[in-house]
Amino acid sequence: DSEYREMWEKLDLDLPAHDALLEVLGKFYGDIYMSQQGRLQGMEYLDFVLSEVHGLRIKELQDAKAEGRKIVGTFCVFVPEEITLAADAVHVGLCSGADAGTELAEQLVPRNTCALIKSFIGFKLARLCPFTESCDLIVGETTCDGKKKAYEAFADHAPMYVMEVPQQKRACDRELWKSEVLRYKEAVEKLTGTTITAERLRKAITIVNDRRRALQRLNALRSANPAPISGRDALLINQVSFYDDPLRFTQSINALCDQIEERIAAREGVAPADTPRLLLSGCPMAVPNWKLPYVIESAGAVIVGEESCIGTRNIRDLVDESGETVEDMLDALVDRYLKIDCACFTPNDERMDNVAAMAREYNADGVVQYSLMFCQPYGHEAIKLGKRLDAEQIPSLAIETDYSMEDVEQLKTRVEAFTEML
Ligand code: BJ8
């Protein structure tokens, strides 16, 4: 489409490399998504959004910019979206799930850096991501060492702002986090020239909570047997939630949930009732990282939940909506975000409890732990969580991988062996 090409050119994308990327992605999507049987009709919306991810959605961002609105990009669910929205800016998730520009990225960060970090750097340096190029501000955070040092290097290439996230959850850590949330509010107000009023913030909290409620509704329906939706489709929904317009997205997911309810009432599903049900747990799977879900679901199992930031960790907790003043609402935000059980925290025992509870809630037969190679936080917790699940007699399999396709067959063999013993 010539309109899009002009837009990509203005964003200074490397057009031939970008064409090649879209082609590979289209094929990958066809193989992994369009080949599924018994897909819900409501997934057409997701197919459409994904097919237009670098087209229509980018055009919407450009239109917003033309109206004077700002675009804020983020890499972590710790950045309070409500504040971005309350200042009338657009909030998009940037972390990337495909190998791109790896050689360039390795000039900026060490080779033994996780694929997620290399990916966002590679996409930027190879000029392949129209989202990154549309951003007026990119917000990083001091979570894992890999990310926080990568942001330092990234700041030479993009308008970076970094939030300090504490590593413990004591009263003094809450103080620190509150001051960081206030500092972010000021930064966004300065960027947009919009003062965050109680009315604006209340509206933003409702928008984001409504999206969380729709995704909670979807997750709750997944406890049904037979599984009414594939794990691949549910992951895609979570991935799209990071960059789609929140109001439109929420509406579509609620419509999809209506269809799922009908399906459950008719006792229909995407796989027979005796299919092994697995919970995925661990590192975030950013779009288009569909490798492991595809491997699992082609090995005869079905995924019934994602304990991940691109999954329940991002939607489990709502922001308290009873606050009257900006101050009340900021406190509610601070408390809600500090409940996130990221492996960067120490200790992080609540995550162990949450995974075990989720496995039960979704009637999972086992848990597949996923960590990206070179990810220290989730690698460490995989050992701890494995022991906890053993103690609770929940079978688990720990997998460490990256974005390359080289280990697909080997992973399939391991997943098949695991599901056979369930
Ligand atoms: S709140 S999980 S989105 S930090 S995979 S880059 S941890 S070395 S992503 Fe995360 Fe926020 Fe936590 Fe969630 Fe580092 Fe590990 Fe790479 Fe990771």
Side-chain angles (χ1 to χ4, degrees):
D1 185 302
S2 65
E3 191 193 359
Y4 290 163
R5 296 196 75 79
E6 208 175 290
M7 175 175 79
W8 294 331
E9 206 158 10
K10 274 197 198 134
L11 289 170
D12 196 27
L13 297 191
D14 177 339
L15 289 182
H18 184 251
D19 287 346
L21 174 79
L22 290 191
E23 204 186 311
V24 173
L25 261 185
K27 185 169 178 316
F28 196 45
Y29 191 74
D31 291 347
I32 292 184
Y33 279 94
M34 306 315 278
S35 61
Q36 294 181 94
Q37 306 285 321
R39 243 171 136 222
L40 291 146
Q41 197 205 334
M43 287 307 296
E44 279 170 14
Y45 172 73
L46 281 300
D47 291 338
F48 173 72
V49 175
L50 200 86
S51 69
E52 286 288 340
V53 58
H54 282 197
L56 192 60
R57 186 61 183 139
I58 298 298
K59 173 141 195 325
E60 288 176 349
L61 298 187
Q62 297 309 315
D63 291 347
K65 281 167 89 90
E67 285 168 13
R69 296 176 68 200
K70 302 289 180 191
I71 315 293
V72 175
T74 60
F75 299 104
C76 174
V77 300
F78 255 101
V79 181
E81 180 170 358
E82 292 86 346
I83 292 181
T84 316
L85 299 185
D88 200 29
V90 182
H91 190 99
V92 287
L94 290 179
C95 54
S96 338
D99 284 331
T102 308
E103 276 174 36
L104 292 170
E106 286 176 357
Q107 292 169 19
L108 218 61
V109 295
R111 285 199 62 195
N112 59 352
T113 297
C114 86
L116 193 147
I117 295 173
K118 271 191 208 167
S119 176
F120 77 70
I121 293 181
F123 267 96
K124 168 72 196 174
L125 298 182
R127 296 189 288 129
L128 287 169
C129 178
F131 286 92
T132 307
E133 300 310 321
S134 300
C135 284
D136 298 291
L137 188 71
I138 295 186
V139 185
E141 52 349 284
T142 57
T143 45
C144 70
D145 285 353
K147 279 212 225 172
K148 85 183 158 215
K149 298 309 285 183
Y151 297 139
E152 244 177 83
F154 203 56
D156 291 338
H157 302 269
M160 278 305 299
Y161 173 92
V162 176
M163 288 184 87
E164 166 86 340
V165 177
Q167 307 199 347
Q168 296 199 9
K169 295 181 180 176
R170 302 159 301 180
C172 59
D173 301 306
R174 188 191 181 281
E175 288 287 296
L176 166 69
W177 178 234
K178 184 170 178 184
S179 69
E180 282 298 291
V181 170
L182 291 173
R183 196 172 66 92
Y184 179 59
K185 174 179 167 283
E186 280 162 25
V188 180
E189 286 179 332
K190 191 165 159 236
L191 175 77
T192 58
T194 302
T195 304
I196 295 180
T197 59
E199 195 189 337
R200 285 176 177 278
L201 191 52
R202 186 173 308 114
K203 197 170 153 217
I205 288 174
T206 310
I207 290 174
V208 184
N209 270 351
D210 282 347
R211 189 182 60 207
R212 293 188 188 114
R213 279 187 274 259
L215 290 166
Q216 285 175 355
R217 181 179 167 207
L218 171 73
N219 278 344
L221 293 171
R222 293 169 73 194
S223 61
N225 194 21
I229 182 169
S230 70
R232 263 169 284 179
D233 279 339
L235 175 65
L236 180 70
I237 291 169
N238 280 291
Q239 291 171 332
V240 166
S241 75
F242 283 86
Y243 58 81
D244 197 12
D245 173 77
L247 292 173
R248 184 174 60 200
F249 175 84
T250 301
Q251 211 180 18
S252 315
I253 299 313
N254 277 319
L256 183 84
C257 287
D258 294 342
Q259 287 174 24
I260 295 182
E261 281 170 357
E262 286 169 24
R263 186 173 263 198
I264 294 173
R267 297 187 186 281
E268 286 167 8
V270 285
D274 58 355
T275 307
R277 300 166 61 90
L278 299 177
L279 176 71
L280 257 186
S281 167
C283 287
M285 287 181 179
V287 72
N289 178 6
W290 305 308
K291 178 171 92 168
L292 191 55
Y294 175 63
V295 164
I296 292 175
E297 295 194 333
S298 17
V302 64
I303 298 164
V304 294
E306 300 75 29
E307 188 276 329
S308 143
C309 283
I310 316 238
T312 47
R313 196 170 301 120
N314 189 33
I315 59 150
R316 184 182 51 227
D317 305 304
L318 299 177
V319 177
D320 183 282
E321 287 171 328
S322 64
E324 297 279 331
T325 62
V326 172
E327 173 78 5
D328 292 344
M329 289 182 249
L330 288 172
D331 271 318
L333 283 172
V334 167
D335 290 332
R336 184 267 167 204
Y337 279 83
L338 214 50
K339 284 186 193 148
I340 297 172
D341 55 349
C342 170
C344 295
F345 280 85
T346 183
N348 189 34
D349 295 331
E350 60 264 44
R351 177 163 173 247
M352 311 295 130
D353 299 337
N354 285 332
V355 177
M358 266 186 85
R360 298 225 159 76
E361 221 171 285
Y362 296 135
N363 300 313
D365 301 305
V367 176
V368 174
Q369 292 208 60
Y370 160 74
S371 5
L372 276 174
M373 240 177 265
F374 309 121
C375 173
Q376 295 286 341
Y378 285 90
H380 277 275
E381 288 203 351
I383 299 175
K384 194 170 169 182
L385 183 56
K387 287 185 186 150
R388 168 67 182 268
L389 294 171
D390 275 354
E392 304 223 8
Q393 287 165 351
I394 301 170
S396 72
L397 171 71
I399 282 178
E400 212 188 8
T401 184
D402 57 15
Y403 295 166
S404 94
M405 291 296 147
E406 280 163 24
D407 58 353
V408 163
E409 285 310 313
Q410 189 206 334
L411 289 175
K412 214 168 164 179
T413 312
R414 286 190 63 200
V415 172
E416 275 166 0
F418 178 62
T419 51
E420 269 163 29
M421 59 159 243
L422 292 174

